[in-house]
Amino acid sequence: NIIPHVFNKNEIYLDSSKISFPLKIRKWKVGDFFIPNGMIGKKKVSDFLINEKISLNNKEKVHVLISNNKIIWILGLRISNDVCADNLTKKIIKISVKY
């Protein structure tokens, strides 16, 4: 990937052709999974949060961004590899959140 995907923890840049609208934000749930940027294969969100050393109190505050019933971003933490811009990307979308 040639495009930086995150410039700060509250914004992401992704390939517009790899997402579907409407996008939805919700709290993460047990059993959720995604493909973290920089990894091959899917990972449970719960395992990802443990690896990132997110405290139990802060885990309850974690939200995810959903496109087409798939997690594309754990807000403030990691974008999904599925939606990253690359050298074939024609249109980039910037998404910012405040929370």
Side-chain angles (χ1 to χ4, degrees), residues 1 5 18 34-41 71-72 78-85:
N1 296 334
H5 305 111
K18 297 177 181 178
F34 78 125
I35 301 172
N37 184 36
M39 290 186 63
I40 297 172
I71 294 174
I72 62 169
R78 186 77 57 92
I79 188 173
S80 171
N81 216 32
D82 289 341
V83 295
C84 291

Side-chain angles (χ1 to χ4, degrees), residues 4-65:
H5 305 111
V6 178
F7 286 98
N8 70 53
K9 68 178 189 157
N10 297 323
E11 66 185 37
I12 58 170
Y13 294 80
L14 45 86
D15 184 326
S16 67
S17 69
K18 297 177 181 178
I19 62 169
S20 299
F21 291 96
L23 301 178
K24 298 177 184 176
I25 293 178
R26 65 164 170 80
K27 286 188 175 186
W28 77 279
K29 300 184 275 193
V30 174
D32 278 348
F33 65 89
F34 78 125
I35 301 172
N37 184 36
M39 290 186 63
I40 297 172
K42 63 184 179 181
K43 185 168 194 99
K44 286 185 178 180
V45 172
S46 59
D47 292 341
F48 174 80
L49 297 175
I50 289 169
N51 292 344
E52 293 294 308
K53 298 182 180 15
I54 306 298
S55 71
L56 184 58
N57 187 41
N58 285 333
K59 283 181 189 177
E60 296 172 1
K61 300 174 187 172
V62 171
H63 285 75
V64 294
L65 181 65

